[in-house]
Amino acid sequence: MGKSLNPSKRQKLIAHYDHRHLQEQPLIPGLPDHVAELCLSRVHPSLLYSVCRSWRRLIYCPFFPPFPSLYAFFSSSDNEIQLLSFDPMSSRWETVPPPPNPLRLLVHHPSFLCRNLPVQSISVSGNLVLLAATAPNFNPALSRPLIFSPLSRSWSLGPPMETPRRWCAAGASGPTVYVASGIGSNFSTDVARSLEKWDLGEEDEMDDFRWKKMRQLKDGRFSTDAIDAVGWRRKLCMVNVAKQGILYDADNDIWEQMPEGMVGGWRGPVAAMDEEVLYAVDEGKGLLTRYNQDGDNWEVIMEVESLRGACQMAAAGGRLCVICGDGEILVIDVVAAPPKFWAVQRPAELEPLAVHILPRLSRLDFLLPTVS
């Protein structure tokens, strides 16, 4: 979070930004704007937002250090998928520019009355990556990843996957995206045992703009459901619906047995803060827990009734965002002592599918469409 642009990209964005918005008056009287920007970058955005219009516009500029925001995929009753961003400064949902080609994804179907068909997305290096979903004909919907950059407000395509899939394990470690197991157009043992990676940090290197096959799983037991492969200390942590756990060592390309205590406390959605601290929600009891590696156990942090039935969680910037059983989105500040939590009201008649914490959207014009 808070990732800054490199100098060349910063200059390109400045060139496209209408600087007249910021020059209605000096940012700080008596100082050149580029010096004032450096001074104001040390002030919390919530303070800048509330002082004056020019400072409010500044915090949304493409070249100003971004603050974290909540992003969520929503579905409507007619299977329409929307990506929205919740701005913590204005406390409003904002529409995200759609991909160039409309997505046709299947989420609701009469054959699956008790659940949604999964739409699998992950956060990588400040970007949102959409990896797997189901098409209306029940085939994999995506032949290559779709990547959204909040800082440039643009979509791009990742490298083609050798076998497009759904119901897979998806995750990231550092800038590297991993996809394991799953089902293609038809079930295949090779696909169910496969692991592939793609380094998003090397997207400008054509020789590396491809998926690389890594060491296979020993069987296909992780192909029966959509699974979060949680990146933690250079390992991917995976637990299937049968509560069977496994670890993938990204540095050494080997699979390891998951510690008994770790898999025993994996009773709902799990997310890693900065890939260092694992948090889990016990969806049955409404408990938020933290993994203790030394003792191989989960320590209870707090109990919140709203967490019962939780189905997905994201972690970044000292906060957790959780989709609860009733569709409520709960934000938990785990840095505060004691931890604080509050609900974010979701847009009417939309059901949250997945939440992410990413840099706020850059704004080329401060007045953009919002949704209530």
Side-chain angles (χ1 to χ4, degrees):
M1 303 305 300
K3 183 180 178 182
S4 60
L5 296 171
N6 64 48
S8 62
K9 289 186 177 180
R10 183 179 186 274
Q11 290 303 319
K12 289 179 182 178
L13 286 169
I14 291 175
H16 287 284
Y17 188 77
D18 186 357
H19 232 57
R20 289 173 299 178
H21 287 310
L22 299 181
Q23 293 177 347
E24 295 173 353
Q25 61 183 21
L27 291 172
I28 299 178
L31 288 180
D33 275 356
H34 70 279
V35 176
E37 289 170 17
L38 292 174
C39 297
L40 295 175
S41 67
R42 299 176 179 271
V43 181
H44 195 278
S46 62
L47 298 176
L48 299 179
Y49 184 88
S50 60
V51 172
C52 62
R53 188 176 180 84
S54 60
W55 287 11
R56 182 178 297 184
R57 281 178 168 158
L58 177 68
I59 65 174
Y60 295 101
C61 289
F63 51 81
F64 197 74
F67 53 85
S69 291
L70 167 65
Y71 291 74
F73 278 106
F74 289 96
S75 71
S76 62
S77 57
D78 59 358
N79 264 322
E80 181 185 0
I81 305 297
Q82 297 184 42
L83 176 60
L84 303 179
S85 172
F86 183 81
D87 184 342
M89 301 300 139
S90 63
S91 297
R92 299 185 70 180
W93 288 99
E94 178 180 325
T95 55
V96 171
N101 297 316
L103 294 175
R104 297 186 68 244
L105 309 180
L106 186 63
V107 177
H108 308 287
H109 192 274
S111 299
F112 297 85
L113 294 177
C114 298
R115 62 184 303 178
N116 292 326
L117 294 170
V119 176
Q120 294 180 258
S121 55
I122 60 174
S123 304
V124 187
S125 300
N127 299 285
L128 177 64
V129 181
L130 182 60
L131 283 167
T134 302
N137 61 0
F138 282 92
N139 284 330
L142 301 170
S143 62
R144 54 200 303 177
L146 271 174
I147 309 139
F148 179 71
S149 167
L151 297 183
S152 65
R153 299 178 62 91
S154 63
W155 291 86
S156 59
L157 291 172
M161 290 182 273
E162 182 174 322
T163 304
R165 62 192 76 193
R166 57 196 180 99
W167 303 94
C168 58
S173 179
T176 306
V177 180
Y178 290 87
V179 172
S181 196
I183 300 173
S185 298
N186 298 290
F187 179 81
S188 162
T189 302
D190 288 340
V191 173
R193 295 182 56 209
S194 67
L195 171 67
E196 298 182 18
K197 75 172 186 178
W198 159 51
D199 194 336
L200 188 62
E202 298 176 348
E203 61 177 332
D204 295 328
E205 301 292 332
M206 292 307 297
D207 290 343
D208 293 306
F209 191 68
R210 60 186 177 89
W211 290 90
K212 300 177 182 177
K213 291 187 176 182
M214 307 305 291
R215 188 182 297 272
Q216 288 186 323
L217 289 151
K218 68 177 183 179
D219 53 44
R221 57 183 163 160
F222 290 91
S223 65
T224 58
D225 200 2
I227 297 171
D228 289 330
V230 181
W232 173 70
R233 301 183 181 181
R234 298 297 300 157
K235 296 185 178 184
L236 292 177
C237 310
M238 297 162 45
V239 175
N240 63 13
V241 291
K243 298 305 178 185
Q244 299 168 312
I246 197 168
L247 301 178
Y248 173 73
D249 185 328
D251 290 331
N252 299 302
D253 188 27
I254 58 174
W255 292 96
E256 304 173 350
Q257 190 67 30
M258 181 176 282
E260 184 178 344
M262 178 183 282
V263 69
W266 203 290
R267 299 172 181 169
V270 176
M273 189 73 69
D274 302 321
E275 298 192 20
E276 282 295 322
V277 182
L278 283 174
Y279 291 91
V281 172
D282 186 324
E283 60 180 323
K285 299 179 179 179
L287 299 177
L288 175 66
T289 60
R290 178 175 51 227
Y291 182 63
N292 173 19
Q293 185 179 20
D294 293 335
D296 186 28
N297 57 17
W298 295 83
E299 304 167 344
V300 176
I301 298 175
M302 61 192 304
E303 180 178 0
V304 182
E305 183 66 25
S306 298
L307 290 177
R308 292 181 184 270
C311 59
Q312 198 261 337
M313 177 165 63
R319 292 181 177 178
L320 306 173
C321 293
V322 187
I323 298 179
C324 301
D326 59 358
E328 180 181 50
I329 299 176
L330 205 67
V331 179
I332 305 173
D333 184 345
V334 293
V335 176
K340 300 177 181 179
F341 64 93
W342 59 93
V344 174
Q345 185 174 5
R346 71 178 193 265
E349 300 182 0
L350 293 179
E351 178 185 0
L353 302 175
V355 289
H356 299 277
I357 304 172
L358 294 164
R360 57 92 182 104
L361 283 170
S362 295
R363 297 187 181 181
L364 303 184
D365 187 325
F366 181 70
L367 298 176
L368 288 174
T370 57
V371 292
S372 56

